[in-house]
Amino acid sequence: MITKRIIPCLDVRNGRVVKGVNFEGVRDVADPVEMARMYNAAGADELVFYDITASYEGRALFTDILRQVASEIFIPLTVGGGINTLDDFDRVLKCGADKVSVNSGALRDPALIPAAAERYGSQCVVLSADVRRVDGQFRVFAKGGREDTGRDALEWIAWCVGHGAGEVCLNSIDTDGVRRGFDLEMLDAVAARVDVPIIASGGAGKKEDFLELFRHKGIDAGLAAGIFHQKLLAIRDLKEYLAKNGVEMRL
């Protein structure tokens, strides 16, 4: 059985880790390098680094901070934000990323997914999808959740996986930062359409939320930010709790 993964997320703006609710009301939390060091020691399985305003501001990702973060950890690092070209993939991989997360860049140019998969391998290409319900439909949003693309999320995710995305990070805007549990309806709908690992993001509030998440077929990892940043839940305690309740974990 493949072990499930617990992944803290560093949302970085202007060189600082920040956190909001429903992708809004963002506030300063901490230094990303210090947090990366802490999560590496705390038993995280992977780390995600998002430069959350790079796409919206139309600029390149902060590579200086990324290099510092990568140098502090010995777990897989996924990096996203402002990834629009193969050169952007190349740049962040050379900074120490193991996987590259693409969102708005792929929406602008879907050919980026198969091109990156061909050059770097599907295992390197993570589709990050920011999804919200609009008139009963799961809709894809771009530019950090600011822009409704009008695209059906399930069709978009299935297309990207079919063309080379090796992993999907599903970010539910509806449950982001609310801490009432993951968006299981949305996750189940995506899991029914694709056969690659799915990372669930948005809504974690307590350890029971992760246990419920991993009881759903096709979900490989739980990603969270606020509850870990604020030390409301310790990663090692969470993993021990899940292991005691029958979830295969790396301890």
Side-chain angles (χ1 to χ4, degrees):
M1 184 182 293
I2 297 174
T3 58
K4 302 298 186 182
R5 293 171 286 153
I6 300 299
I7 306 175
C9 177
L10 305 182
D11 291 324
V12 179
R13 183 178 72 175
N14 298 326
R16 297 284 294 176
V17 177
V18 296
K19 187 70 189 89
V21 177
N22 302 129
F23 282 36
E24 297 177 351
V26 173
R27 63 186 185 280
D28 185 271
V29 177
D31 173 69
V33 180
E34 289 178 9
M35 295 200 85
R37 188 184 301 126
M38 177 190 75
Y39 286 131
N40 183 77
D45 295 296
E46 298 185 13
L47 185 67
V48 168
F49 178 109
Y50 285 142
D51 186 339
I52 63 169
T53 55
S55 291
Y56 178 68
E57 294 172 0
R59 60 166 171 77
L61 183 143
F62 292 123
T63 51
D64 52 343
I65 297 167
L66 174 56
R67 281 194 188 90
Q68 292 177 60
V69 166
S71 70
E72 293 289 340
I73 66 174
F74 301 96
I75 53 178
L77 174 64
T78 298
V79 177
I83 306 297
N84 297 297
T85 65
L86 290 180
D87 285 344
D88 292 329
F89 267 80
D90 198 55
R91 190 160 44 84
V92 299
L93 289 169
K94 285 177 177 173
C95 286
D98 298 284
K99 294 183 278 189
V100 181
S101 175
V102 63
N103 187 335
S104 296
L107 287 163
R108 274 191 296 274
D109 178 16
L112 180 60
I113 296 279
E118 183 176 355
R119 180 175 291 187
Y120 302 108
S122 289
Q123 80 287 342
C124 178
V125 182
V126 180
L127 174 69
S128 178
D130 297 334
V131 182
R132 168 176 264 158
R133 291 164 178 80
V134 178
D135 298 327
Q137 180 188 45
F138 292 126
R139 197 81 62 80
V140 181
F141 279 66
K143 297 183 179 178
R146 294 172 177 84
E147 182 181 291
D148 184 353
T149 66
R151 291 180 190 242
D152 178 277
L154 301 181
E155 292 180 4
W156 168 243
I157 292 168
W159 186 92
C160 290
V161 169
H163 287 80
E167 191 167 59
V168 173
C169 183
L170 183 66
N171 312 303
S172 172
I173 299 174
D174 295 324
T175 61
D176 174 68
V178 178
R179 298 181 183 170
R180 294 179 188 155
F182 290 96
D183 198 330
L184 300 173
E185 179 192 23
M186 188 184 289
L187 288 158
D188 287 343
V190 172
R193 296 287 293 267
V194 302
D195 58 0
V196 297
I198 296 172
I199 301 168
S201 172
K206 55 188 186 299
K207 58 189 178 183
E208 289 82 5
D209 293 334
F210 287 88
L211 181 59
E212 186 176 11
L213 172 71
F214 291 135
R215 286 175 172 159
H216 283 246
K217 186 178 179 182
I219 310 304
D220 295 82
L223 181 148
I227 59 166
F228 295 146
H229 297 345
Q230 296 170 27
K231 297 181 172 57
L232 302 177
L233 189 58
I235 290 177
R236 205 167 298 280
D237 290 346
L238 171 61
K239 294 175 79 170
E240 289 175 356
Y241 164 81
L242 292 170
K244 286 176 183 175
N245 282 276
V247 179
E248 200 75 23
M249 302 299 301
R250 179 184 68 84
L251 296 172

